[in-house]
Amino acid sequence: MSFYKTILTDPIHFLAFGFGSGLLPKAPGTWGTLVAIPVWYLLAQLSLEYYLITTAVLFVIGVWLCGASSKKLGVHDHGGIVWDEFCGYFVTMIALPATWYWALGGFVLFRFFDIIKPWPIKWLDKKVKGGFGIMVDDLIAGVFAAIILNVCLVLFNQF
């Protein structure tokens, strides 16, 4: 069975690879984050309390899911695993209005922190293994982006 067929037919890989978006050859993390945007838009319709609970549950599922996919592939943090980008983007977008410009700002800032990996993101990425290791660096990238965006929201609350 081909690699692509394996990813698309195995539910664990299919979810870990962001519904197949992680299979795109160039910048799978960026594609995964783009695919996360419409999912975020649906989640953004929830109350803040339910949004936070859902994001936390998706993170916990992601720890198991990314760990299981990695183990099945025999590769720690395969580049195509993008469930972590989904959750990182959901963290980025906590308490922000569901508009195109906040979605775009969140996309740009989250990708910036996920790619640049300032401390402690790079340290966590190198030192923490398993499913939690795959997820935690994107969680922190999302927190960094969320802080900046929420400060902007407070400063420019007319948006």
Side-chain angles (χ1 to χ4, degrees), residues 2 15 24 54 62 65-66 72 82 85 88 97 102 107 109 113 119 122 127 143 146-147 149 154 159:
S2 78
L15 290 173
L24 293 165
T54 303
L65 187 68
C66 293
K72 287 174 107 176
V82 295
E85 272 79 15
W102 287 108
F107 173 81
L109 277 174
F113 286 115
W119 188 90
K122 183 179 281 188
K127 299 292 184 185
V143 168
I147 289 168
L149 290 169
V154 169
F159 295 113

PDB file of all heavy atoms in Angstrom, residues 2 15 24 54 62 65-66 72 82 85 88 97 102 107 109 113 119 122 127 143 146-147 149 154 159:
ATOM      1  N   SER A   2       0.554   2.199  -0.819  1.00  0.00           N
ATOM      2  CA  SER A   2       1.369   3.407  -0.911  1.00  0.00           C
ATOM      3  C   SER A   2       1.252   4.246   0.370  1.00  0.00           C
ATOM      4  O   SER A   2       0.275   4.119   1.122  1.00  0.00           O
ATOM      5  CB  SER A   2       0.941   4.249  -2.116  1.00  0.00           C
ATOM      6  OG  SER A   2      -0.249   4.966  -1.824  1.00  0.00           O
ATOM      7  N   LEU A  15      -6.445  11.830  10.586  1.00  0.00           N
ATOM      8  CA  LEU A  15      -6.642  12.964  11.499  1.00  0.00           C
ATOM      9  C   LEU A  15      -5.315  13.638  11.831  1.00  0.00           C
ATOM     10  O   LEU A  15      -5.219  14.866  11.805  1.00  0.00           O
ATOM     11  CB  LEU A  15      -7.335  12.504  12.779  1.00  0.00           C
ATOM     12  CG  LEU A  15      -8.797  12.100  12.619  1.00  0.00           C
ATOM     13  CD1 LEU A  15      -9.330  11.496  13.917  1.00  0.00           C
ATOM     14  CD2 LEU A  15      -9.641  13.279  12.184  1.00  0.00           C
ATOM     15  N   LEU A  24       0.641  17.447   1.576  1.00  0.00           N
ATOM     16  CA  LEU A  24       1.123  18.382   0.556  1.00  0.00           C
ATOM     17  C   LEU A  24       2.634  18.537   0.701  1.00  0.00           C
ATOM     18  O   LEU A  24       3.149  18.668   1.815  1.00  0.00           O
ATOM     19  CB  LEU A  24       0.393  19.712   0.667  1.00  0.00           C
ATOM     20  CG  LEU A  24      -1.094  19.584   0.314  1.00  0.00           C
ATOM     21  CD1 LEU A  24      -1.875  20.791   0.780  1.00  0.00           C
ATOM     22  CD2 LEU A  24      -1.257  19.379  -1.172  1.00  0.00           C
ATOM     23  N   THR A  54     -13.305  22.568  24.418  1.00  0.00           N
ATOM     24  CA  THR A  54     -13.105  21.832  23.163  1.00  0.00           C
ATOM     25  C   THR A  54     -11.644  21.863  22.744  1.00  0.00           C
ATOM     26  O   THR A  54     -11.077  20.839  22.346  1.00  0.00           O
ATOM     27  CB  THR A  54     -13.998  22.413  22.046  1.00  0.00           C
ATOM     28  OG1 THR A  54     -15.363  22.363  22.475  1.00  0.00           O
ATOM     29  CG2 THR A  54     -13.827  21.643  20.748  1.00  0.00           C
ATOM     30  N   GLY A  62      -4.917  15.079  20.673  1.00  0.00           N
ATOM     31  CA  GLY A  62      -3.755  15.255  19.815  1.00  0.00           C
ATOM     32  C   GLY A  62      -2.491  14.624  20.373  1.00  0.00           C
ATOM     33  O   GLY A  62      -1.673  14.099  19.613  1.00  0.00           O
ATOM     34  N   LEU A  65      -3.063  11.038  19.538  1.00  0.00           N
ATOM     35  CA  LEU A  65      -3.152  10.869  18.095  1.00  0.00           C
ATOM     36  C   LEU A  65      -1.792  11.040  17.415  1.00  0.00           C
ATOM     37  O   LEU A  65      -1.375  10.202  16.610  1.00  0.00           O
ATOM     38  CB  LEU A  65      -4.148  11.890  17.537  1.00  0.00           C
ATOM     39  CG  LEU A  65      -4.528  11.811  16.080  1.00  0.00           C
ATOM     40  CD1 LEU A  65      -5.341  10.556  15.813  1.00  0.00           C
ATOM     41  CD2 LEU A  65      -5.342  13.042  15.706  1.00  0.00           C
ATOM     42  N   CYS A  66      -1.087  12.118  17.737  1.00  0.00           N
ATOM     43  CA  CYS A  66       0.223  12.377  17.117  1.00  0.00           C
ATOM     44  C   CYS A  66       1.240  11.337  17.552  1.00  0.00           C
ATOM     45  O   CYS A  66       2.067  10.894  16.738  1.00  0.00           O
ATOM     46  CB  CYS A  66       0.698  13.789  17.457  1.00  0.00           C
ATOM     47  SG  CYS A  66      -0.321  15.075  16.711  1.00  0.00           S
ATOM     48  N   LYS A  72       3.342   4.537  14.558  1.00  0.00           N
ATOM     49  CA  LYS A  72       2.999   3.683  13.421  1.00  0.00           C
ATOM     50  C   LYS A  72       3.908   3.951  12.217  1.00  0.00           C
ATOM     51  O   LYS A  72       4.239   3.036  11.472  1.00  0.00           O
ATOM     52  CB  LYS A  72       1.532   3.888  13.012  1.00  0.00           C
ATOM     53  CG  LYS A  72       0.534   3.287  13.968  1.00  0.00           C
ATOM     54  CD  LYS A  72      -0.880   3.653  13.573  1.00  0.00           C
ATOM     55  CE  LYS A  72      -1.560   2.434  13.002  1.00  0.00           C
ATOM     56  NZ  LYS A  72      -2.985   2.682  12.688  1.00  0.00           N
ATOM     57  N   VAL A  82       0.047  17.288  11.267  1.00  0.00           N
ATOM     58  CA  VAL A  82      -0.306  18.701  11.435  1.00  0.00           C
ATOM     59  C   VAL A  82      -1.448  18.929  12.431  1.00  0.00           C
ATOM     60  O   VAL A  82      -1.921  20.054  12.567  1.00  0.00           O
ATOM     61  CB  VAL A  82      -0.634  19.366  10.074  1.00  0.00           C
ATOM     62  CG1 VAL A  82       0.603  19.397   9.180  1.00  0.00           C
ATOM     63  CG2 VAL A  82      -1.805  18.693   9.378  1.00  0.00           C
ATOM     64  N   GLU A  85      -0.622  21.699  14.567  1.00  0.00           N
ATOM     65  CA  GLU A  85      -0.873  23.033  14.004  1.00  0.00           C
ATOM     66  C   GLU A  85      -2.336  23.423  14.190  1.00  0.00           C
ATOM     67  O   GLU A  85      -2.641  24.578  14.485  1.00  0.00           O
ATOM     68  CB  GLU A  85      -0.507  23.098  12.515  1.00  0.00           C
ATOM     69  CG  GLU A  85       0.929  23.466  12.251  1.00  0.00           C
ATOM     70  CD  GLU A  85       1.903  22.323  12.425  1.00  0.00           C
ATOM     71  OE1 GLU A  85       1.468  21.153  12.474  1.00  0.00           O
ATOM     72  OE2 GLU A  85       3.115  22.587  12.529  1.00  0.00           O
ATOM     73  N   GLY A  88      -2.612  24.385  17.842  1.00  0.00           N
ATOM     74  CA  GLY A  88      -1.873  25.627  18.068  1.00  0.00           C
ATOM     75  C   GLY A  88      -2.628  26.829  17.524  1.00  0.00           C
ATOM     76  O   GLY A  88      -2.672  27.888  18.157  1.00  0.00           O
ATOM     77  N   PRO A  97     -12.506  37.750  17.774  1.00  0.00           N
ATOM     78  CA  PRO A  97     -13.680  37.771  16.898  1.00  0.00           C
ATOM     79  C   PRO A  97     -13.464  36.899  15.658  1.00  0.00           C
ATOM     80  O   PRO A  97     -12.354  36.784  15.140  1.00  0.00           O
ATOM     81  CB  PRO A  97     -13.799  39.245  16.486  1.00  0.00           C
ATOM     82  CG  PRO A  97     -13.015  40.006  17.508  1.00  0.00           C
ATOM     83  CD  PRO A  97     -11.924  39.087  17.962  1.00  0.00           C
ATOM     84  N   TRP A 102      -8.846  38.891  11.758  1.00  0.00           N
ATOM     85  CA  TRP A 102      -8.287  38.235  12.940  1.00  0.00           C
ATOM     86  C   TRP A 102      -7.788  36.844  12.564  1.00  0.00           C
ATOM     87  O   TRP A 102      -6.747  36.397  13.052  1.00  0.00           O
ATOM     88  CB  TRP A 102      -9.301  38.183  14.072  1.00  0.00           C
ATOM     89  CG  TRP A 102      -9.507  39.522  14.702  1.00  0.00           C
ATOM     90  CD1 TRP A 102     -10.606  40.316  14.576  1.00  0.00           C
ATOM     91  CD2 TRP A 102      -8.589  40.254  15.514  1.00  0.00           C
ATOM     92  NE1 TRP A 102     -10.427  41.498  15.268  1.00  0.00           N
ATOM     93  CE2 TRP A 102      -9.194  41.485  15.859  1.00  0.00           C
ATOM     94  CE3 TRP A 102      -7.296  40.003  15.980  1.00  0.00           C
ATOM     95  CZ2 TRP A 102      -8.568  42.439  16.648  1.00  0.00           C
ATOM     96  CZ3 TRP A 102      -6.670  40.957  16.778  1.00  0.00           C
ATOM     97  CH2 TRP A 102      -7.303  42.156  17.095  1.00  0.00           C
ATOM     98  N   PHE A 107      -3.180  33.485  11.754  1.00  0.00           N
ATOM     99  CA  PHE A 107      -2.424  32.600  10.871  1.00  0.00           C
ATOM    100  C   PHE A 107      -0.971  33.061  10.766  1.00  0.00           C
ATOM    101  O   PHE A 107      -0.040  32.278  10.957  1.00  0.00           O
ATOM    102  CB  PHE A 107      -3.081  32.552   9.488  1.00  0.00           C
ATOM    103  CG  PHE A 107      -2.276  31.803   8.475  1.00  0.00           C
ATOM    104  CD1 PHE A 107      -2.320  30.418   8.413  1.00  0.00           C
ATOM    105  CD2 PHE A 107      -1.458  32.477   7.579  1.00  0.00           C
ATOM    106  CE1 PHE A 107      -1.563  29.722   7.477  1.00  0.00           C
ATOM    107  CE2 PHE A 107      -0.703  31.797   6.646  1.00  0.00           C
ATOM    108  CZ  PHE A 107      -0.747  30.416   6.595  1.00  0.00           C
ATOM    109  N   LEU A 109       0.827  35.191  12.703  1.00  0.00           N
ATOM    110  CA  LEU A 109       1.583  35.147  13.965  1.00  0.00           C
ATOM    111  C   LEU A 109       1.867  33.716  14.421  1.00  0.00           C
ATOM    112  O   LEU A 109       2.971  33.405  14.876  1.00  0.00           O
ATOM    113  CB  LEU A 109       0.850  35.908  15.059  1.00  0.00           C
ATOM    114  CG  LEU A 109       1.066  37.403  15.060  1.00  0.00           C
ATOM    115  CD1 LEU A 109       0.171  38.078  16.096  1.00  0.00           C
ATOM    116  CD2 LEU A 109       2.519  37.746  15.330  1.00  0.00           C
ATOM    117  N   PHE A 113       5.703  32.135  14.889  1.00  0.00           N
ATOM    118  CA  PHE A 113       6.268  31.524  16.097  1.00  0.00           C
ATOM    119  C   PHE A 113       6.547  30.038  15.910  1.00  0.00           C
ATOM    120  O   PHE A 113       7.516  29.518  16.459  1.00  0.00           O
ATOM    121  CB  PHE A 113       5.351  31.750  17.305  1.00  0.00           C
ATOM    122  CG  PHE A 113       5.403  33.155  17.819  1.00  0.00           C
ATOM    123  CD1 PHE A 113       4.282  33.970  17.763  1.00  0.00           C
ATOM    124  CD2 PHE A 113       6.569  33.680  18.345  1.00  0.00           C
ATOM    125  CE1 PHE A 113       4.325  35.273  18.240  1.00  0.00           C
ATOM    126  CE2 PHE A 113       6.628  34.984  18.808  1.00  0.00           C
ATOM    127  CZ  PHE A 113       5.497  35.778  18.751  1.00  0.00           C
ATOM    128  N   TRP A 119      12.855  30.781  22.110  1.00  0.00           N
ATOM    129  CA  TRP A 119      12.865  30.070  23.388  1.00  0.00           C
ATOM    130  C   TRP A 119      11.545  30.324  24.097  1.00  0.00           C
ATOM    131  O   TRP A 119      11.045  31.444  24.044  1.00  0.00           O
ATOM    132  CB  TRP A 119      14.031  30.561  24.256  1.00  0.00           C
ATOM    133  CG  TRP A 119      14.178  29.727  25.487  1.00  0.00           C
ATOM    134  CD1 TRP A 119      14.942  28.609  25.613  1.00  0.00           C
ATOM    135  CD2 TRP A 119      13.528  29.924  26.735  1.00  0.00           C
ATOM    136  NE1 TRP A 119      14.793  28.084  26.867  1.00  0.00           N
ATOM    137  CE2 TRP A 119      13.921  28.884  27.582  1.00  0.00           C
ATOM    138  CE3 TRP A 119      12.619  30.848  27.234  1.00  0.00           C
ATOM    139  CZ2 TRP A 119      13.463  28.745  28.887  1.00  0.00           C
ATOM    140  CZ3 TRP A 119      12.159  30.720  28.526  1.00  0.00           C
ATOM    141  CH2 TRP A 119      12.587  29.679  29.340  1.00  0.00           C
ATOM    142  N   LYS A 122      11.795  26.221  20.857  1.00  0.00           N
ATOM    143  CA  LYS A 122      12.837  25.382  20.249  1.00  0.00           C
ATOM    144  C   LYS A 122      13.354  24.355  21.253  1.00  0.00           C
ATOM    145  O   LYS A 122      13.569  23.196  20.914  1.00  0.00           O
ATOM    146  CB  LYS A 122      13.989  26.245  19.737  1.00  0.00           C
ATOM    147  CG  LYS A 122      15.062  25.442  19.022  1.00  0.00           C
ATOM    148  CD  LYS A 122      16.170  26.318  18.500  1.00  0.00           C
ATOM    149  CE  LYS A 122      15.663  26.950  17.225  1.00  0.00           C
ATOM    150  NZ  LYS A 122      16.685  27.699  16.495  1.00  0.00           N
ATOM    151  N   LYS A 127      13.690  18.725  23.195  1.00  0.00           N
ATOM    152  CA  LYS A 127      13.850  17.935  24.414  1.00  0.00           C
ATOM    153  C   LYS A 127      12.673  17.034  24.764  1.00  0.00           C
ATOM    154  O   LYS A 127      12.853  16.027  25.436  1.00  0.00           O
ATOM    155  CB  LYS A 127      14.122  18.865  25.610  1.00  0.00           C
ATOM    156  CG  LYS A 127      15.389  19.689  25.467  1.00  0.00           C
ATOM    157  CD  LYS A 127      16.614  18.839  25.536  1.00  0.00           C
ATOM    158  CE  LYS A 127      17.861  19.694  25.490  1.00  0.00           C
ATOM    159  NZ  LYS A 127      19.074  18.912  25.446  1.00  0.00           N
ATOM    160  N   VAL A 143       0.193  30.195  22.249  1.00  0.00           N
ATOM    161  CA  VAL A 143       0.080  31.099  23.398  1.00  0.00           C
ATOM    162  C   VAL A 143       0.770  32.431  23.088  1.00  0.00           C
ATOM    163  O   VAL A 143       0.204  33.504  23.346  1.00  0.00           O
ATOM    164  CB  VAL A 143       0.679  30.453  24.677  1.00  0.00           C
ATOM    165  CG1 VAL A 143       0.826  31.477  25.798  1.00  0.00           C
ATOM    166  CG2 VAL A 143      -0.192  29.286  25.131  1.00  0.00           C
ATOM    167  N   ALA A 146      -1.390  34.282  20.669  1.00  0.00           N
ATOM    168  CA  ALA A 146      -2.639  34.701  21.320  1.00  0.00           C
ATOM    169  C   ALA A 146      -2.427  35.926  22.195  1.00  0.00           C
ATOM    170  O   ALA A 146      -3.273  36.838  22.226  1.00  0.00           O
ATOM    171  CB  ALA A 146      -3.213  33.555  22.149  1.00  0.00           C
ATOM    172  N   ILE A 147      -1.316  35.974  22.903  1.00  0.00           N
ATOM    173  CA  ILE A 147      -1.031  37.130  23.760  1.00  0.00           C
ATOM    174  C   ILE A 147      -0.947  38.395  22.911  1.00  0.00           C
ATOM    175  O   ILE A 147      -1.570  39.414  23.233  1.00  0.00           O
ATOM    176  CB  ILE A 147       0.268  36.907  24.570  1.00  0.00           C
ATOM    177  CG1 ILE A 147       0.038  35.835  25.646  1.00  0.00           C
ATOM    178  CG2 ILE A 147       0.749  38.215  25.197  1.00  0.00           C
ATOM    179  CD1 ILE A 147       1.300  35.341  26.312  1.00  0.00           C
ATOM    180  N   LEU A 149      -2.155  38.956  19.877  1.00  0.00           N
ATOM    181  CA  LEU A 149      -3.445  39.288  19.270  1.00  0.00           C
ATOM    182  C   LEU A 149      -4.444  39.828  20.283  1.00  0.00           C
ATOM    183  O   LEU A 149      -5.196  40.762  19.976  1.00  0.00           O
ATOM    184  CB  LEU A 149      -4.016  38.062  18.559  1.00  0.00           C
ATOM    185  CG  LEU A 149      -3.281  37.659  17.294  1.00  0.00           C
ATOM    186  CD1 LEU A 149      -3.753  36.289  16.815  1.00  0.00           C
ATOM    187  CD2 LEU A 149      -3.457  38.692  16.207  1.00  0.00           C
ATOM    188  N   VAL A 154      -7.434  44.466  22.695  1.00  0.00           N
ATOM    189  CA  VAL A 154      -7.716  45.433  23.760  1.00  0.00           C
ATOM    190  C   VAL A 154      -7.336  46.851  23.316  1.00  0.00           C
ATOM    191  O   VAL A 154      -8.095  47.804  23.530  1.00  0.00           O
ATOM    192  CB  VAL A 154      -6.956  45.055  25.059  1.00  0.00           C
ATOM    193  CG1 VAL A 154      -7.018  46.166  26.094  1.00  0.00           C
ATOM    194  CG2 VAL A 154      -7.515  43.753  25.618  1.00  0.00           C
ATOM    195  N   PHE A 159     -12.216  47.233  16.428  1.00  0.00           N
ATOM    196  CA  PHE A 159     -12.315  46.195  15.389  1.00  0.00           C
ATOM    197  C   PHE A 159     -13.296  45.164  15.854  1.00  0.00           C
ATOM    198  O   PHE A 159     -13.724  44.326  15.260  1.00  0.00           O
ATOM    199  CB  PHE A 159     -10.948  45.551  15.091  1.00  0.00           C
ATOM    200  CG  PHE A 159      -9.978  46.511  14.497  1.00  0.00           C
ATOM    201  CD1 PHE A 159      -8.851  46.907  15.190  1.00  0.00           C
ATOM    202  CD2 PHE A 159     -10.179  47.021  13.223  1.00  0.00           C
ATOM    203  CE1 PHE A 159      -7.934  47.781  14.631  1.00  0.00           C
ATOM    204  CE2 PHE A 159      -9.259  47.896  12.666  1.00  0.00           C
ATOM    205  CZ  PHE A 159      -8.151  48.274  13.371  1.00  0.00           C
TER     206      PHE A 159
END
